[in-house]
């Protein structure tokens, strides 16, 4: 059946065809309060940003998410952040946002290409920017709130481009776990550093993911880390630099292995529809598509909505984030 025929069949027998996804690089925060605070901050009202972080209290996952929202904004236009730092140089929130902003700029300077396709100038810029970020992270660690793991996640983050602090991995990761044992961002950053693509191996990556997921409470985003480990694994073993459109064909036999399917199914069951960040929904939607669970996948794709910024996991499997998401969207809507 041709694509046109599928569309006509859907329109005749299954009702209106859903709107095609619109892809954006910078999705606005879903939470209205976070969205308004970011809006006000970038227009110069840095006290709104400060209050946003204070209001997170000891919800460390919310604090980390809000730091990321503000840092994303400041990485593009950061005059308001400089005003905040000038007015409150010891504010733990300002120090955190500054450190995260510099990390984002470092990765933007490097680009997202593989090492073989990254220029010497990009690597030099990455190392320079990461050095600046490492200095800011140390200030954030020194000024951290009691119990706050977010500065330690940032300290892990600068290890990608700063060998000088990489030897502190075990110490930093342990302190982050002590402060917040089931923090998904902490464990994901640790397993990424220890994956084969960066500074570890498949075995070390899976060990971190499985240990953190096993200890996590039901419903936690941390319970889904084995999914990300499998996506990371196929990137390195099957789809690394594959042409867009050929990635899934290369790795599909891997996802059909009984032991892989069983582990991914167990992770999704433990999650059980709990934490519903867009990253979690992306990972689970991709799992259901790979497993052939059309109805379950469609529920999540519908929840993600018509405006999306697909997570890297789609690229890992399909060798193209937007291409992979569209392939999945067409399948769940019986259009491809």
């Amino acid at each position: 059946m041709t694509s046109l025929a599928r569309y006509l069949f859907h329109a005749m027998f299954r009702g209106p065809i859903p709107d095609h996804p619109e892809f954006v690089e910078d999705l606005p925060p879903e939470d209205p309060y976070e969205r308004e605070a970011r809006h006000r901050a970038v227009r110069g009202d840095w006290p709104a940003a400060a209050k946003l972080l204070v209001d997170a209290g000891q919800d460390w996952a919310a604090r980390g998410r809000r730091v990321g929202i503000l840092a994303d904004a400041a990485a593009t236009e950061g005059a308001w952040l400089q005003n905040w730092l000038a007015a409150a140089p010891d504010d733990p929130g300002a120090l955190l946002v500054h450190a995260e902003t510099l990390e984002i700029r470092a990765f933007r300077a490097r680009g997202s290409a593989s090492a073989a396709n990254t220029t010497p100038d990009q690597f030099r810029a990455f190392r320079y920017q990461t050095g600046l970020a490492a200095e800011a992270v140390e200030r954030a660690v020194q000024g951290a709130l009691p119990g706050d793991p977010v500065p330690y996640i940032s300290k892990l983050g600068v290890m990608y481009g700063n060998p000088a602090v990489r030897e502190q991995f075990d110490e930093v990761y342990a302190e982050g776990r002590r402060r917040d044992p089931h923090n998904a961002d902490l464990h994901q950053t640790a397993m990424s550093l220890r994956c084969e693509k960066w500074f570890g191996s498949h075995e070390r990556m899976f060990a971190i993911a499985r240990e953190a997921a096993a200890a996590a409470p039901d419903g936690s985003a941390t319970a889904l880390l084995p999914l990300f480990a499998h996506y990371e694994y196929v990137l390195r073993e099957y789809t690394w630099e594959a042409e867009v459109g050929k990635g899934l064909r290369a790795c599909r036999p891997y996802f059909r292995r009984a032991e892989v399917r069983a582990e991914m199914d167990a992770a999704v069951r433990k999650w059980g529809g709990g934490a519903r960040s867009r990253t979690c929904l992306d990972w689970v939607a991709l799992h259901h598509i790979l497993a052939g669970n059309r109805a379950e996948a469609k529920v999540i794709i519908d929840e993600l909505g018509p405006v999306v910024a697909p997570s890297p996991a789609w690229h890992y499997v399909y060798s193209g984030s937007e291409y992979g998401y569209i392939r999945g969207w067409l399948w769940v809507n019986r259009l491809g």
Side-chain angles (χ1 to χ4, degrees):
M1 185 183 292
T2 67
S3 297
L4 177 58
R6 289 191 185 97
Y7 275 79
L8 291 174
F9 183 87
H10 192 291
M12 291 173 63
F13 298 104
R14 297 195 179 104
I17 298 169
D19 291 335
H20 252 255
E22 176 187 349
F23 297 113
V24 298
E25 291 186 4
D26 185 21
L27 275 175
E30 293 184 87
D31 181 270
Y33 178 40
E34 294 174 354
R35 189 165 58 245
E36 176 64 17
R38 170 178 159 159
H39 176 80
R40 290 173 60 182
V42 298
R43 281 155 181 76
D45 184 6
W46 63 260
K51 186 174 186 301
L52 180 69
L53 298 188
V54 169
D55 288 350
Q58 294 187 350
D59 183 342
W60 305 125
R63 181 172 174 82
R65 182 181 68 250
R66 291 176 177 186
V67 166
I69 288 169
L70 296 172
D72 264 338
T76 300
E77 174 47 66
W80 62 272
L81 175 57
Q82 294 306 314
N83 291 336
W84 184 7
L85 287 164
D90 297 322
D91 186 323
L95 293 172
L96 263 178
V97 174
H98 185 222
E100 185 71 15
T101 297
L102 294 175
E103 287 188 39
I104 292 170
R105 288 177 179 168
F107 275 96
R108 288 183 182 177
R110 184 197 182 280
S112 59
S114 65
N117 293 301
T118 301
T119 69
D121 284 347
Q122 287 175 304
F123 276 124
R124 279 192 290 270
F126 180 49
R127 287 191 292 269
Y128 173 73
Q129 293 282 359
T130 304
L132 297 179
E135 294 174 4
V137 164
E138 286 304 320
R139 292 193 290 274
V141 167
Q142 293 303 314
L145 296 175
D148 184 3
V150 181
Y152 293 87
I153 302 172
S154 292
K155 191 162 184 176
L156 288 177
V158 298
M159 293 181 187
Y160 290 101
N162 194 322
V165 295
R166 214 170 290 151
E167 63 185 22
Q168 301 174 34
F169 174 88
D170 291 337
E171 173 189 341
V172 174
Y173 185 34
E175 179 60 21
R177 294 199 308 274
R178 186 188 71 78
R179 288 167 174 255
D180 192 10
H182 308 302
N183 188 289
D185 288 338
L186 173 74
H187 294 298
Q188 187 184 352
T189 305
M191 62 183 280
S192 294
L193 277 165
R194 286 299 185 242
C195 76
E196 189 169 291
K197 184 178 67 181
W198 285 98
F199 311 111
S201 64
H202 295 321
E203 292 75 18
R204 297 181 77 176
M205 173 188 68
F206 273 110
I208 290 173
R210 287 165 176 160
E211 180 181 352
D218 291 356
S220 167
T222 305
L224 291 175
L225 289 177
L227 267 65
F228 182 73
H230 284 292
Y231 301 147
E232 184 73 57
Y233 177 85
V234 301
L235 170 68
R236 191 63 176 170
E237 293 297 316
Y238 297 98
T239 67
W240 190 255
E241 297 188 345
E243 293 180 22
V244 172
K246 295 184 178 179
L248 180 62
R249 191 183 316 150
C251 66
R252 185 175 284 285
Y254 174 81
F255 287 112
R256 289 176 174 168
R257 294 180 188 176
E259 69 277 14
V260 172
R261 172 73 177 270
E263 181 170 36
M264 296 180 77
D265 283 345
V268 172
R269 282 197 301 273
K270 184 165 187 177
W271 171 71
R276 305 194 77 75
S277 71
R278 297 189 73 88
T279 296
C280 288
L281 296 177
D282 264 338
W283 290 357
V284 175
L286 179 55
H287 165 69
H288 284 312
I289 288 166
L290 294 169
N293 304 328
R294 197 190 306 262
E296 293 87 343
K298 181 168 172 53
V299 168
I300 295 179
I301 291 291
D302 287 349
E303 182 176 346
L304 284 165
V307 181
V308 292
S311 81
W314 296 91
H315 172 76
Y316 292 178
V317 174
Y318 288 91
S319 302
S321 293
E322 294 182 5
Y323 170 83
Y325 193 90
I326 281 288
R327 281 281 303 272
W329 181 89
L330 289 169
W331 181 76
V332 301
N333 286 294
R334 299 179 182 274
L335 294 169

